Amino acid sequence: MEGEASGESHNKINKYALACSVVASVISIIFGYDTGVMSGAMLFIKDEMKISEFQVEVLAGILNICALVGSLMAGRTSDQIGRRYTIILASIIFMIGATLMGYGPNYAILLVGRCITGIGVGFALMIAPVYSAEISSSATRGFLTSLPELCIALGILTGYVSNYCFGKIGVKIGWRLMLGVAAIPSLALACGVLAMPESPRWLVLQGRLKDAREVLSKVSNTEEEAELRFRDIKLAAGIAEDCHQDVVKLNRNTHGEGVWRELLKPTPAVRRILVAAIGIHFFEHAVGIEAIMLYSPRIFKKAGIMAKDKLLLATVGVGIVKTLFILVATFFLDKIGRRRLLFISTIGVTISLTVIGFSLTMVEKSKGNLLWALILSIISVYVFVAFFNSGIAPITWVYSAEIFPLKLRAQGMSIGVAVNRLTNAAISLSFISIYEAITIGGTFFMFAGISVIALIFFYFCLPETKGKSLEEIEMLFGGNPHPSSNEDGRARNDV
């Protein structure tokens, strides 16, 4: 009975850990808002500033180029100053970028503001899931680590609603309000994060054992669970299990030095982890989600919706579907597993992309208005968003945040985020050019083909990690069993 009670307690979400993850994930709402609001703001920016299609593509894609730089900086930064202060830094960067974009007297300043925001995006995408993963137990890690992705969806939906509301104010003021209002929550978040604890994993790496133990007491449901997690984290950091000092000095670098050397010359296990992390981040955007999220007004226009208010309203529907299905996924990640959800999601994405390609091709080839093709286009876009966000979207961030060993986690995750942003940028910068070259229907057929390759990759390269400890995850990728395993071979809580 005691073991059952302990199991039930372990599976129960700790309220304090949940609150910390929610606060940390607010940074993702701000990023999501910027992504969503820009899809509508570009319609008004293009009209006012009379910029070319190429300049629109640059404005859309430059954020991801700068996010790539930001993500590579964020890993080392978070190892040096801690996870909490990295979130604060990301908030400040967002605030500066949003203020410049809201001011936006000309294209050059608008582009500078977008670049600064992009650096903030790189920080946010790396740090939010890493922090959430590091304060959660193995039983609730999927739920808590998927919260940043849910918050991105909420932010995108808020951005779409902002487009619809502010779009009625006027061309000159409307889009500036759309972009500039993001500075307010950025400032609020920077202040709110000060009330959060630091990651216990980072504290242990700094030798601050007493502080780490106090945090673990708050984010664990029982003292027994906190003690088990504390012991495993100490062993992963190379500290003796029987060490009871408040502060220890580790005989090695503790601020991320040397990590890049281990990542660039990896062991076989780390190499497999890198392949898995880079692959899942690449395919998340290679299947075309950015084309839907950023250019959905254009897609709906190609399908036959011409009025701006109706275009923006149809885009709001995309945001609602995205948010609802990510919310569903967060509750199933720890129940039915990463792989099963990923397979269902990718198969659904492949089918819906094929239908989008077919319906848009029929619209383009038709001389008149095909009502059935218009309806099919809109429905298939919504179905694509539903399947994508019920699996691929949240699992990408959960999976990559949990598979890296403790010492490599922040900077390893930053590599995955850099690939994510690079792929995102490639789609953002080239989508218009590609659909002008091979038609918009042909472009979505191309995305469908890529999603088939993604399914094959997921099947062979991504083992199931649901409910597994760090020791077990390392063994899945070919690593050696961790010394903190129990004598009967079962690993303790995750590190």
Side-chain angles (χ1 to χ4, degrees):
M1 293 298 293
E2 183 180 346
E4 290 177 13
S6 177
E8 288 175 6
S9 174
H10 179 62
N11 289 326
K12 184 179 179 182
I13 295 176
N14 179 276
K15 292 180 180 178
Y16 188 75
L18 175 61
C20 291
S21 289
V22 169
V23 174
S25 299
V26 170
I27 191 74
S28 300
I29 292 181
I30 301 169
F31 157 57
Y33 176 85
D34 183 80
T35 300
V37 83
M38 183 55 76
S39 68
M42 284 192 298
L43 298 175
F44 300 97
I45 293 169
K46 189 174 188 299
D47 286 346
E48 182 190 337
M49 295 187 174
K50 310 299 181 185
I51 58 177
S52 65
E53 291 281 27
F54 174 74
Q55 287 175 306
V56 171
E57 281 187 322
V58 170
L59 189 62
I62 197 68
L63 178 137
N64 293 299
I65 297 294
C66 295
L68 186 156
V69 176
S71 66
L72 292 174
M73 294 168 56
R76 182 65 182 272
T77 300
S78 71
D79 281 341
Q80 289 182 322
I81 68 175
R83 314 316 193 205
R84 188 174 63 145
Y85 286 112
T86 302
I87 296 174
I88 293 174
L89 179 60
S91 303
I92 294 170
I93 296 171
F94 264 125
M95 183 175 63
I96 295 170
T99 302
L100 281 176
M101 288 194 294
Y103 171 54
N106 54 53
Y107 182 76
I109 291 179
L110 185 62
L111 199 61
V112 170
R114 186 81 166 151
C115 288
I116 293 173
T117 302
I119 294 174
V121 166
F123 272 80
L125 286 174
M126 191 287 296
I127 196 59
V130 165
Y131 180 84
S132 297
E134 290 190 342
I135 65 168
S136 59
S137 69
S138 58
T140 61
R141 189 173 56 230
F143 177 81
L144 294 183
T145 311
S146 64
L147 288 180
E149 186 66 22
L150 174 61
C151 287
I152 289 175
L154 289 170
I156 290 174
L157 175 58
T158 306
Y160 288 159
V161 173
S162 176
N163 283 337
Y164 185 69
C165 296
F166 288 129
K168 297 181 179 181
I169 293 177
V171 174
K172 290 192 174 183
I173 299 176
W175 68 264
R176 288 181 171 85
L177 287 174
M178 293 176 193
L179 298 174
V181 75
I184 299 172
S186 299
L187 178 61
L189 176 63
C191 298
V193 170
L194 292 173
M196 289 166 46
E198 183 52 82
S199 159
R201 274 80 173 176
W202 185 82
L203 290 171
V204 169
L205 283 178
Q206 311 313 305
R208 294 164 57 183
L209 302 187
K210 181 182 178 182
D211 293 339
R213 183 66 181 79
E214 290 175 353
V215 174
L216 283 169
S217 294
K218 295 178 180 179
V219 299
S220 300
N221 290 322
T222 65
E223 283 301 312
E224 181 187 15
E225 180 190 335
E227 189 59 38
L228 286 171
R229 292 172 69 180
F230 184 48
R231 263 185 274 169
D232 281 343
I233 296 170
K234 283 195 299 183
L235 287 170
I239 300 171
E241 186 175 351
D242 58 356
C243 177
H244 299 294
Q245 299 178 49
D246 291 343
V247 179
V248 297
K249 185 171 179 62
L250 302 181
N251 295 321
R252 57 181 176 79
N253 296 321
T254 60
H255 291 90
E257 302 92 337
V259 170
W260 277 106
R261 187 162 52 251
E262 291 187 41
L263 290 171
L264 293 176
K265 294 182 178 180
T267 63
V270 172
R271 186 181 298 113
R272 286 193 64 194
I273 290 171
L274 276 171
V275 168
I278 289 171
I280 196 169
H281 275 285
F282 169 77
F283 284 115
E284 184 193 17
H285 287 285
V287 298
I289 185 60
E290 194 65 12
I292 296 289
M293 301 313 297
L294 199 55
Y295 294 106
S296 52
R298 287 171 176 263
I299 295 168
F300 290 137
K301 191 172 183 178
K302 283 282 185 182
I305 302 175
M306 296 302 174
K308 273 186 182 178
D309 60 336
K310 291 182 179 179
L311 282 173
L312 296 178
L313 193 58
T315 304
V316 170
V318 172
I320 292 173
V321 172
K322 178 179 177 66
T323 304
L324 286 175
F325 279 87
I326 283 187
L327 184 60
V328 170
T330 59
F331 289 100
F332 284 101
L333 273 168
D334 289 318
K335 293 180 180 178
I336 68 174
R338 285 50 155 164
R339 272 174 67 91
R340 189 178 300 175
L341 269 182
L342 200 55
F343 294 158
I344 294 171
S345 173
T346 309
I347 292 169
V349 159
T350 303
I351 295 171
S352 55
L353 283 169
T354 303
V355 176
I356 293 172
F358 169 74
S359 57
L360 289 177
T361 298
M362 294 305 295
V363 169
E364 281 192 318
K365 291 187 177 295
S366 173
K367 295 180 180 179
N369 290 328
L370 286 180
L371 182 60
W372 68 267
L374 166 62
I375 295 172
L376 186 60
S377 298
I378 296 172
I379 291 174
S380 54
V381 165
Y382 288 159
V383 171
F384 167 81
V385 172
F387 274 109
F388 180 86
N389 289 285
S390 64
I392 298 175
I395 291 171
T396 295
W397 301 96
V398 172
Y399 201 88
S400 56
E402 66 187 359
I403 60 177
F404 283 101
L406 175 59
K407 184 183 175 184
L408 307 181
R409 186 171 296 137
Q411 296 187 51
M413 180 69 170
S414 72
I415 293 176
V417 175
V419 172
N420 186 288
R421 294 298 94 190
L422 183 62
T423 311
N424 191 314
I427 300 297
S428 303
L429 289 167
S430 63
F431 178 70
I432 295 176
S433 301
I434 291 173
Y435 85 58
E436 286 179 347
I438 65 173
T439 74
I440 193 166
T443 304
F444 282 99
F445 283 132
M446 178 190 73
F447 288 142
I450 293 172
S451 67
V452 172
I453 299 172
L455 184 63
I456 297 170
F457 175 84
F458 296 155
Y459 182 82
F460 287 105
C461 297
L462 304 187
E464 181 58 73
T465 59
K466 175 180 76 76
K468 296 186 182 297
S469 67
L470 176 62
E471 296 88 351
E472 291 171 315
I473 291 175
E474 285 191 61
M475 290 172 67
L476 283 174
F477 287 94
N480 294 320
H482 197 279
S484 67
S485 295
N486 290 333
E487 290 181 359
D488 63 357
R490 292 174 297 167
R492 294 193 189 105
N493 291 331
D494 67 301
V495 184

